[in-house]
Amino acid sequence: MLNLFLLQSLNGIQFGILLFLVAAGLTLIFGVMDLINLAHGVLYMIGAYLTAAFAAMTGSFAYGILLALPATLLIGIALEVLVFRRLYDRSHLDQVLATFGLILILNETVKIIWGSAPLSVPMPEAFSGSIQLMGNLRYPTFRILIIAAGLATALGLYLMVNHTRLGMLLRAGATHGAMVSALGVNIRRLFMIVFGLGAMLAGFAGGMVAPILSVDPGMGDSILILTFVVIVIGGVGSVRGAFVAAIIVGLVDTLGRSFGPMLLRNLLEPAAAAQMGRTVAPMLVYILMAAVLYLKPTGLFSSGGGTR
Amino acid sequence: MSEAVTPATTSIMETTAERQPLLSRLAPWLVFGLFAAVPLLAHAINDSFILVIATRMLIFALAALSLNLIMGYGALVSFGHAAYIGIGAYAVGILSSYGINDLLLQIAAALVVAGLFALVTGYLSLRTSGVYFIMITLAFGQMAFFFMVSLSAFGGDDGMSLSGRSTLLGADLLADNLALFYGVLIILAAAFLLMRTLVASRFGRVLRGTRDNPTRMRAIGFSPFAFQLTAYVIAGMIAAVAGVLLANQVQFVSPAYMTWARSGELIVMVVLGGMGTLLGPIIGATVFILLEDVLAHFSEHWKLGLGLILVLVVLGSRDGMSGLARRLRGGSDA
């Protein structure tokens, strides 16, 4: 029982790390550019598809993801130049409409190129085993790799945001965009860098899950909504908030799904408990979000700016 | 820059019918008259499929009409409106699986459940504004979606087929496509009149005042929250009626009715026809369903075309889609 709990907690953390990778870029895009980008989940999907395609081409998962990273970076920058750049000073409704249109375009393009059937990416040989953690608890090596890579990325982002000039500009841009621009910073270039970086992080997350999940055209949509939940809980524009909220959401979702039915079984008869657990568990994160909103409408770690 | 929505500024003019130009007074008669004549066309060219498409247009017009109340007159962009269509559809599906087939009972159940869901989620969502509001309504919509997906007793992901259409006081009135079409048309006309009364009433004026300048509304002593929440609940309930009708038309209920993409399409319908105008959503839904049908004929990847149109229109028009819609209507909707 304890082992199962530890295993599921690790799964939750691994899921949370993935959510963080997608949410980190998106929360910066929200915070710095005041842009609502529905198409961010699509970049996660594109990262997964490109990894799958490059891995099949080169025969190696490592080369696949190494090639997919610059490719998603380029796609992100291309989207910024072609579409998003023109949306910064539009109303939120226009941004919703244009990025919604972008999702339709990219989802269908992926379907045209790779078909609607899910692709699978073979697990890299070196990471296909499992590692003994403690006692008789074993955990798949690849999932540990995901956690480690995610934590390293989070650390790198933390250092970048808090200890570099670019990070300083980002933080300043999130709260006082007009002032930063007035001080002579090329805000357009800053936006482009943030956007490319966010796209690459989302693509990285997509590439890393490709071997453990099936790669299908709807995968971006489902993660996008959870990313929104993460951002709402963490507070728009806060990378630290996104990290904490992502881990919380990952844990609540994973543990809720595995232990919710078990806990309910003590209260209800087995059949009712199973049904109830299955229906309530996917809703837990949304209930959590509602509770956070009720107590703190701007999220746990709001970067300021009130209604942003 | 952080201003949430700048809808077409409809002034108080709209409420005083006698000052309006003749054309816009006649427009509702024209639209509803044309729809009423669709069965004649279907009969004349002997194509019953036209009737099916037209019924679908009317049902989505009803849903878009309800969304317009909060989006167009309240500046509240809800990205979870399809959830209410789903609630209405499942009211039909679940009740009929227990042998309750009466339309009035099903509508009553849909109204109660949708009203309660809108009351709770609206209360929470309206504590926020702008981007937050969009994301939160989206999340609540997905919550309802996942609830239905995991509800395996009622079909879960696969949905459930209905054995037949609802009955009205024991009579099998809706079994015929023509009767269903006119039934939906009457309900849409009633909702249109309700909306016109609402928007012109004191309630509607407060709502529009809040849309244009919330600070000023508060300064003259109104608390916008109660008005916005009421509008949110009414919009949800009307959308649920659309769901009841949709389930009846296709005799099938599934979580696919309440995906977030469907919510996005509802927003597109409202903006396409003209936000904050009474007739706009009806025209928008009609054009959208027509476009969907035409594009789907060309290719199974019709959504690619829809996406391209959306992006190009928003980018190509300086003040976005609402501006384009306004210019297409001749630049005078005030």
Side-chain angles (χ1 to χ4, degrees), chain B residues 113-130:
Chain B
V113 176
L116 284 176
F117 186 69
L119 194 65
V120 174
T121 61
Y123 177 80
L124 289 167
S125 310
L126 283 169
R127 290 171 60 85
T128 65
S129 60

Side-chain angles (χ1 to χ4, degrees), chain B residues 154-218:
Chain B
F154 298 103
D157 212 1
D158 300 326
M160 58 199 292
S161 301
L162 306 180
S163 53
R165 286 190 178 147
S166 306
T167 53
L168 190 62
L169 303 171
D172 223 0
L173 282 178
L174 297 179
D176 178 39
N177 275 345
L178 188 66
L180 181 73
F181 173 82
Y182 279 115
V184 175
L185 187 64
I186 289 168
I187 291 178
L188 179 66
F192 177 79
L193 290 176
L194 171 75
M195 212 49 86
R196 197 161 77 170
T197 318
L198 264 183
V199 169
S201 69
R202 179 172 172 277
F203 169 79
R205 287 201 299 274
V206 175
L207 198 63
R208 281 180 289 151
T210 309
R211 169 193 71 191
D212 296 338
N213 197 331
T215 320
R216 202 174 286 174
M217 286 312 285
R218 259 184 238 109

Side-chain angles (χ1 to χ4, degrees), chain B residues 125-146:
Chain B
S125 310
L126 283 169
R127 290 171 60 85
T128 65
S129 60
V131 171
Y132 268 106
F133 185 82
I134 300 176
M135 286 196 283
I136 285 150
T137 47
L138 175 60
F140 280 131
Q142 282 305 104
M143 186 174 95
F145 170 73
F146 284 122

Side-chain angles (χ1 to χ4, degrees), chain A residues 90 108 236 275 294 298 308, chain B residues 127 132 136 152 301 314 317:
Chain A
R90 293 296 192 80
E108 286 301 322
V236 164
Q275 171 65 56
Y294 185 76
T298 51
R308 269 172 185 275
Chain B
R127 290 171 60 85
Y132 268 106
I136 285 150
S152 48
H301 299 294
V314 173
S317 157

